[in-house]
Each structure stands twice: as structure tokens, then as C-alpha cells.
Amino acid sequence: MTVTRPRRRAPLAALMGANLVSTVGGAMSLVALPWFVFQTTGDTALTGIAATCEFLAVAAASLFAGSAIRHLGPRGTRVISDVVAGLAVLAVPVLHVTTGIAYPLLLVLVAVNGLLRTPAVAASMVMLAQTARLAETTTETVSGPYLASLELAKVIGVPLAGATIALVGAPWALVVDAATFLVSGLAIQLFLPAERQPHQDHRPSLLSAAQVLRADRVLVRLITIMLALAVAMSGWNSVLAPVYGQTVLHSAPQLAAILTASGIGAIAGSSLAGILGPRLDRRLLMATAVLLALVPPFVLIASHAPMPAVVGAMLTAGFGSGLFSATFITVEYERIPPADQGHVFGLVGGIGTAGIAVGPLLAGALLTVAPLSVGAVAIATVGATAAAALALTPGLRRPPPLQ
């Protein structure tokens, strides 16, 4: 037993490590790609088009993510996604310093990078359940650390991109970004076990996901709430937060401190989800998590509360966000049949990305007719409504028995 146990845990550790590395790269690309586009074109409209192109590609990939996993297996899907995405990102700086890169070709490469993100994430979710079984543990136990590692990667990736751009320029930041995807794909190929022949199901991916959701009202409600939260928080991150930093705080470092507090809280909340989840009423746990995430901080922001109070509230908000996200993933694993997980995870990822794309548009439109405080109250209202909906979901009342 002492000999085989480390081997059974190795695939889970390899998956966690690969996800950490690739997510650092993904966080870097959020900074480096727009920076590169603006630096080479000098046009904010073209920069915005490139960002929109990537988001649309991520959302469109939900149409085939499940089918890719069905035919290639989760490991094959993840490896191919990582390698091709890495080569697409690497092509940008290579072409830039050799023949030059035309803007239409740049859009194609950006779209390829986005198009492969949803299948990679969905495949990782499927492999997380598989490697948890190999490690003789539960998905509830590993979901929290999985999300915590992703939050940590985001905290590392954004400043790493900024530092790399400042030291050697955006093209080299893209080279580092590409390397993270290639290393991730290699680690998955080398350290995760080969899979049995994938189940041959010829239903379209969206049809498979729709059939699962049609039979499960709890999942539909949770996904609807997730979409509302994605819209609200992307509106904050992309529009309201910069406006708040400039017009209320008058300080970029103070805004950075608030956002960093939220990230640290999310790491803590995700990490503790596996401990709290099996011991607490899940309905109450998820409702409280959403309430903490969206109500106190935005009520304080709307009332122009002192900055230390907002930092404390954002730390708690991040905790609630991480706790909700990890518990949401656990519920997905429990309610979605393994054969359909790739389909549903792909669709859910596409829905979340659509919410992230819509949120800034709605927030920007709102701020053209109302002050910042109204936007903050709107987010708090979304949080209170979502928490009430969760509290009134009987299917979430009882957690699964401890294993």
C-alpha cells in the first residue's frame, strides 16, 4: 500500500500542476495580447475587436467541446488544445520579429487561442474526477484545491505579464505565455494515464447537454445563478472598478489592494470548501457564500465607505466567491452522469464566458445614465436575489454523506 499510494496520487498532482502552469499563461495573455495589439496597431478599436474575437471564440467552442472530449478522450483533448494554443500564441511574436504579422492573421491566431480554451477547461474538469478516483478521494475534496490553484495562478500571471512586458517587451511575454501551454500539454501527456476507448455517443454535444439539464431543475437554477453572477462581476471588474478607482479612490494602488484582497479571499474560500461542504447544509452554505460575495462590499462601495472597510469586505467577498464556485463544481460532479460531463462542462463554460462578455456592456450602458452608486447597488441586488433563490432550492438542502 505504501508503494502504490504515491503512484495513485501522481496523476492528480500532475493535473493540478499542469493547470497551475497553463492558467498562469492564460492570465498573462489577458494582459500581453491586448498590450501587443495596441502597441502594434495604436488603435483602441482594433484592440477591442481582438478581445471580442477571443471571447466569441471561447463561447463558440462550447458547441463542440463535449464532442471533442467524446472522440479524443479528455487527455487527448487537453493535450491537443494546449499544444495548438501554445503554437498559436508563439506564432504571434515569431511572425512579428520575422516577416511581420497582418492584423487579420493576428485575429485568426487570437481566435484559435480562444477556441481551444473551452475544450481544455472542460477536459480538465473531466480528468479531475478521474484522477480523484485514482487517488481514492472525492471530487468535493479536490474541487476546492483545484479552484484555489487557479486563483493563485491568476494572482501570479497578471503581475508576471506586467513585469515581463516592462523588462523585455510584450513579444517576449507572449513567448513565456506560449511556453506555459506547451509545458502543460507535455505534463498531461507524460504523467496522466492513458484512457480506455472513449464512449461512442453520436448525439450532438449541445443536445446531450440539453437533455441532462432538462431533467435537472436544480442544475438549471444553479447555472442561471452562475450566469447572473458572471454578468455582475465582469461588469465590476471591467467597468465599475476602474471608475471607482479613478473617481472615488483617486488611487490605482488602493484599487489594486481591493482587487488583491478579493483574490486572496477566493483562494482561502476555495481551499476550505472541501472542509466546510460536507459538514454544513449545502443550501445555506451556497446562499451565504453568494450573499457575502456580492452584498456587503457593494453596499459599502455605494455608500462611499472608507477604503479599509471596503478592503475587508472584499476579502470576505472573495472568500464567499471561492466557496460558492468550489461547491458549484461539486454539485455538477454529483448530478451530471460521467458520460455527459464533457458536454455539460463545455456548455456551462460557454454560458459563463457569454456572461463575462455581456457584463461590461451592461455596466457601461448603466453608467451612462446613472452614477456609480447605482451600479454598485444593482450588483448587491443581484447577490441578494441569487442568495434567496439558493435558499429556496430544496434539492440543495442536504450535502452528500461523508466518504
Side-chain angles (χ1 to χ4, degrees):
M1 185 67 177
T2 57
V3 175
T4 60
R5 187 70 174 180
R7 293 179 184 173
R8 297 177 67 86
R9 291 185 180 274
L12 178 60
L15 177 63
M16 291 281 197
N19 285 340
L20 178 66
V21 171
S22 65
T23 306
V24 167
M28 290 184 69
S29 70
L30 291 176
V31 177
L33 269 175
W35 191 289
F36 175 83
V37 175
F38 182 69
Q39 186 179 58
T40 54
T41 66
D43 191 319
T44 55
L46 294 180
T47 303
I49 290 172
T52 301
C53 182
E54 184 174 11
F55 272 121
L56 290 176
V58 173
S62 64
L63 299 174
F64 67 83
S67 296
I69 294 170
R70 180 181 63 211
H71 292 295
L72 300 173
R75 186 180 75 158
T77 300
R78 173 62 189 273
V79 171
I80 292 172
S81 296
D82 279 353
V83 171
V84 177
L87 294 176
V89 173
L90 183 62
V92 174
V94 170
L95 291 173
H96 173 68
V97 299
T98 55
T99 62
I101 180 168
Y103 182 73
L105 178 57
L106 177 61
L107 288 183
V108 171
L109 294 173
V110 168
V112 168
N113 182 38
L115 200 62
L116 295 169
R117 192 175 305 167
T118 299
V121 171
S124 296
M125 295 281 289
V126 176
M127 287 189 293
L128 185 65
Q130 294 174 343
T131 55
R133 288 191 292 269
L134 287 175
E136 299 179 0
T137 187
T138 64
T139 53
E140 187 162 29
T141 301
V142 300
S143 294
Y146 169 77
L147 279 183
S149 68
L150 301 188
E151 291 293 340
L152 177 61
K154 295 173 187 175
V155 171
I156 295 171
V158 171
L160 179 60
T164 306
I165 292 171
L167 290 174
V168 292
W172 279 106
L174 292 175
V175 171
V176 175
D177 180 14
T180 64
F181 288 113
L182 297 174
V183 169
S184 171
L186 181 62
I188 295 293
Q189 178 66 30
L190 291 179
F191 298 111
L192 265 73
E195 300 151 342
R196 291 178 295 181
Q197 182 67 24
H199 175 62
Q200 293 302 313
D201 177 0
H202 298 289
R203 294 174 298 165
S205 185
L206 282 183
L207 177 61
S208 300
Q211 289 174 341
V212 172
L213 297 181
R214 186 165 57 238
D216 196 324
R217 293 183 179 180
V218 172
L219 270 180
V220 171
R221 178 172 293 195
L222 283 179
I223 292 170
T224 303
I225 290 171
M226 179 273 296
L227 175 61
L229 301 184
V231 170
M233 291 310 297
S234 65
W236 158 252
N237 290 325
S238 299
V239 179
L240 270 65
V243 173
Y244 178 66
Q246 292 182 38
T247 63
V248 178
L249 298 176
H250 305 288
S251 171
Q254 288 187 17
L255 178 62
I258 289 173
L259 298 178
T260 300
S262 176
I264 293 172
I267 294 172
S270 300
S271 300
L272 292 177
I275 298 174
L276 298 175
R279 292 166 173 79
L280 298 175
D281 183 306
R282 182 174 287 166
R283 187 174 60 164
L284 177 62
L285 178 70
M286 297 186 79
T288 303
V290 169
L291 202 66
L292 288 175
L294 272 75
V295 177
F298 292 103
V299 168
L300 290 176
I301 288 171
S303 61
H304 290 191
M307 187 262 188
V310 176
V311 170
M314 276 297 183
L315 184 67
T316 306
F319 181 88
S321 176
L323 186 60
F324 172 79
S325 298
T327 309
F328 175 77
I329 289 177
T330 297
V331 175
E332 285 184 301
Y333 280 126
E334 292 171 356
R335 305 184 77 94
I336 302 171
D340 292 311
Q341 286 179 355
H343 303 298
V344 179
F345 289 154
L347 178 60
V348 172
I351 291 172
T353 301
I356 293 172
V358 169
L361 297 176
L362 294 180
L366 179 61
L367 291 190
T368 62
V369 297
L372 174 69
S373 58
V374 173
V377 169
I379 293 178
T381 302
V382 170
T385 304
L390 287 165
L392 297 174
T393 305
L396 292 175
R397 181 177 294 126
R398 292 181 181 275
L402 284 169
Q403 299 183 21

